[in-house]
Amino acid sequence: MYEQDVGDQYPTWVGLVYIFNLIVGTGALTLPAVFSRAGWALGLSVILVLAFISFITVTFVIEAMASANAIVTWRHIQHRKRVLQTMGESGPSNSDSEDTPLVAPLIASPERSDMTYRYYVIRDKIEMGQMASIFFNRFGTTLFYLCFAVYLYGDLSIYGAAVAKSLADVACTYVPKNFTCNDTILDTEFCWDGPTLNRLDAYRIFLTLFVLSLGPFVFFNVQKTKYLQLLTSGMRWLAFTIMIVYALKNLFLYGPRGDPPTASLAGIPGLFGACVYSFMCHHSLPALVSPIANKSMLNRFLALDYMLIAFFYLLLALTGAFAFEHLDDLYTLDFGPRGSGDCSKSNNIFMLLLEYFLALFPVFTLSTSFPIIAITLRNNLESLFLNEDASYNLCLWKLVFPFLAVIPPYLIAMSTKDLSILVGITGSYAGAGIQYLIPTFLVYYARQKTNKVIGLGVVNKFASPFSGRCWLIFVVVWAIACMILVSVNFVQIHLNSFWIDQ
């Protein structure tokens, strides 16, 4: 936690652009495929509903951030009073004391207004883990770090699989004889002409090289620079714009090639996980919202941001589902030099460069994020298992946790390259915990603690518009019901596959 320097602040629209760029990432690349499998009507409904519920929990996080700042400010005031009393000086005499909560008059007054702006301000950047330690007990804090670590493990597995899959798809040039647009190149097919590696072996080799190249950064502390962030953001906007325009061009020239169903319950697990993963920004909100200079209309601007993102996702998913007959789990591969979406590849050098750019887009963007996510995971593992007040062996601290942060995601990505499964599991369970359950319990316990410590009379101007307890119950019931539904569907799908194989 630190106090935000005025020089580090930026306008509201800049913060919203950062949030937009954070949300629209890897998850969006898996949306078209799962959207097509679930059906266009069901997919449209699920995206809109999950966008709305995700926005609800975002407002919960914003309220919890203001409450955490209020508690920290109150503690600083109490500490200063104790110091003054120890020095024999008398502090200011008011209701702001150790034992008496602040209870302002029920009518508006200058004193009440001063207390509101004195306490409920988002000035210090207090991360989610720090908020958990303020409002949860030891058991709740441990559960938070455990859920966060599982989510980051899934995140790194998805990053590794997406990069290795993209590299293997571009590098493997062998195409079987009599290959048509309706066929899918299997992992057992050769990567190049002749009895050499197959595509699965190439994927695993590229995954190993990727982890060996970027994994060592987990032993150090590196920060993403402003210019690197701007570069990756520009590449992201360019890539998504090209994909939407390309799909629209195919629709206008060739008509709808895809024929997604109206609704298919079998596609729910992948769709739910991908949507939750695609709307995830809650864990990074403190770092992005705290530097915003003017936060007076923060919730309204965040609502606008979510509406734009939902519209963007629907445009990306609908154009992809109807423009291409077959969709890869990673949407960018449908635009590559040997993509399954368009068999009439152009020999134009400009179009060829665009195809290679889209195919390698995950490599460019995810490679810059992988070390940052790995270091974040390492730090969370240390917070989960180590005590800040204790001293530990240097080998344990410097070697064990970095390896624990990198090796499990590598093994997961080695065992499967199916991004829909990785995204579905990560989003449906750990992602649902971080996006739904943790913000709900945070805001619930934050309200209890601030009412007890600060008092009922001081208004939190960042309070969520969904302040009723019924909204808290709704989000918790929704999250649990969705996880149960996803689990049942996963089991049913795998049982069906098992009996078909038998």
Side-chain angles (χ1 to χ4, degrees):
M1 179 194 69
Y2 65 89
E3 187 171 340
Q4 190 66 42
D5 188 0
V6 177
D8 294 334
Q9 294 183 339
Y10 41 68
T12 306
W13 69 269
V14 174
L16 297 182
V17 169
Y18 285 163
I19 293 173
F20 187 98
N21 290 337
L22 173 70
I23 296 177
V24 181
T26 315
L29 298 179
T30 64
L31 267 182
V34 294
F35 182 90
S36 178
R37 293 172 196 150
W40 64 268
L42 180 61
L44 190 148
S45 303
V46 169
I47 288 178
L48 292 178
V49 170
L50 293 186
F52 175 67
I53 299 177
S54 181
F55 170 70
I56 292 176
T57 54
V58 161
T59 64
F60 289 169
V61 175
I62 299 298
E63 180 179 343
M65 288 168 57
S67 300
N69 272 266
I71 296 296
V72 169
T73 301
W74 181 83
R75 288 175 177 175
H76 287 167
I77 291 174
Q78 302 310 314
H79 176 72
R80 187 168 67 249
K81 285 182 179 180
R82 286 193 294 268
V83 171
L84 291 174
Q85 291 173 358
T86 302
M87 295 173 62
E89 301 179 12
S90 59
S93 178
N94 55 28
S95 59
D96 184 15
S97 63
E98 282 279 356
D99 303 319
T100 306
L102 296 176
V103 182
L106 293 179
I107 60 174
S109 67
E111 181 184 0
R112 182 181 180 185
S113 177
D114 177 68
M115 288 180 181
T116 298
Y117 287 96
R118 182 183 184 184
Y119 288 95
Y120 290 107
V121 293
I122 302 178
R123 181 178 57 248
D124 297 339
K125 188 186 77 172
I126 303 177
E127 298 289 356
M128 292 280 285
Q130 294 168 304
M131 284 191 279
S133 64
I134 291 174
F135 299 121
F136 294 160
N137 57 21
R138 177 63 182 172
F139 178 72
T141 304
T142 301
L143 284 181
F144 165 81
Y145 280 111
L146 188 62
C147 180
F148 198 47
V150 172
Y151 175 78
L152 293 179
Y153 272 128
D155 224 9
L156 291 176
S157 303
I158 293 167
Y159 281 22
V163 170
K165 193 172 182 179
S166 300
L167 289 172
D169 188 79
V170 171
C172 293
T173 57
Y174 174 75
V175 177
K177 294 180 179 179
N178 301 324
F179 178 77
T180 66
C181 295
N182 297 325
D183 298 330
T184 301
I185 301 180
L186 302 177
D187 291 337
T188 53
E189 297 287 354
F190 294 129
C191 186
W192 299 286
D193 290 331
T196 56
L197 299 173
N198 61 32
R199 286 178 171 261
L200 183 58
D201 293 333
Y203 162 82
R204 289 173 173 168
I205 290 174
F206 282 118
L207 175 63
T208 303
L209 293 175
F210 173 73
V211 172
L212 289 177
S213 300
L214 297 179
F217 284 101
V218 77
F219 292 94
F220 310 100
N221 287 316
V222 294
Q223 295 296 328
K224 189 184 298 183
T225 65
K226 174 183 178 181
Y227 299 105
L228 183 60
Q229 184 177 0
L230 291 175
L231 176 62
T232 54
S233 297
M235 292 178 63
R236 181 182 293 113
W237 278 90
L238 179 61
F240 280 111
T241 302
I242 293 173
M243 285 186 283
I244 292 174
V245 172
Y246 199 110
L248 286 173
K249 184 264 294 183
N250 280 5
L251 281 173
F252 286 127
L253 291 181
Y254 310 114
R257 291 181 173 178
D259 186 24
T262 304
S264 174
L265 295 180
I268 285 182
L271 178 63
F272 177 77
C275 287
V276 172
Y277 189 73
S278 298
F279 284 111
M280 181 67 70
C281 70
H282 301 62
H283 57 295
S284 298
L285 275 178
L288 297 178
V289 170
S290 298
I292 295 178
N294 183 8
K295 306 180 183 73
S296 59
M297 300 179 66
L298 187 58
N299 283 333
R300 294 184 183 180
F301 282 113
L302 285 171
L304 176 62
D305 223 11
Y306 262 81
M307 285 190 290
L308 290 175
I309 292 168
F311 173 77
F312 180 83
Y313 282 168
L314 288 175
L315 184 62
L316 183 74
L318 284 169
T319 55
F322 285 98
F324 299 132
E325 187 174 357
H326 297 282
L327 288 170
D328 196 279
D329 291 331
L330 192 63
Y331 191 42
T332 50
L333 298 184
D334 294 306
F335 301 88
R338 285 164 297 281
S340 61
D342 185 7
C343 289
S344 56
K345 293 297 177 181
S346 173
N347 293 323
N348 183 285
I349 186 65
F350 176 73
M351 292 300 297
L352 194 61
L353 289 175
L354 284 182
E355 291 165 1
Y356 273 106
F357 168 73
L358 291 176
L360 295 173
F361 165 68
V363 180
F364 301 141
T365 56
L366 301 184
S367 295
T368 60
S369 301
F370 186 89
I372 309 298
I373 302 297
I375 291 171
T376 303
L377 175 57
R378 181 202 67 192
N379 294 337
N380 278 273
L381 290 175
E382 292 173 358
S383 300
L384 179 61
F385 293 107
L386 300 183
N387 190 339
E388 292 182 1
D389 300 328
S391 58
Y392 297 93
N393 185 282
L394 185 64
C395 177
L396 172 68
W397 186 38
K398 292 293 185 180
L399 293 179
V400 173
F401 287 102
F403 277 113
L404 282 178
V406 174
I407 298 301
Y410 168 72
L411 296 177
I412 293 172
M414 285 287 282
S415 63
T416 178
K417 57 184 291 190
D418 192 331
L419 285 173
S420 62
I421 293 179
L422 293 176
V423 171
I425 293 176
T426 302
S428 299
Y429 299 103
I434 293 175
Q435 188 169 146
Y436 298 147
L437 297 178
I438 289 176
T440 304
F441 287 114
L442 267 179
V443 78
Y444 173 75
Y445 286 108
R447 289 171 184 173
Q448 285 192 329
K449 186 157 190 172
T450 52
N451 288 342
K452 180 180 179 180
V453 174
I454 308 297
L456 293 171
V458 186
V459 179
N460 186 348
K461 63 179 180 177
F462 292 102
S464 169
F466 310 97
S467 56
R469 183 165 292 191
C470 60
W471 287 107
L472 303 180
I473 297 173
F474 165 73
V475 173
V476 172
V477 172
W478 167 266
I480 295 174
C482 286
M483 285 190 281
I484 292 174
L485 178 64
V486 167
S487 301
V488 171
N489 275 283
F490 265 128
V491 171
Q492 184 177 1
I493 290 172
H494 283 83
L495 284 177
N496 291 338
S497 300
F498 173 78
W499 288 115
I500 290 174
D501 293 337
Q502 294 299 313

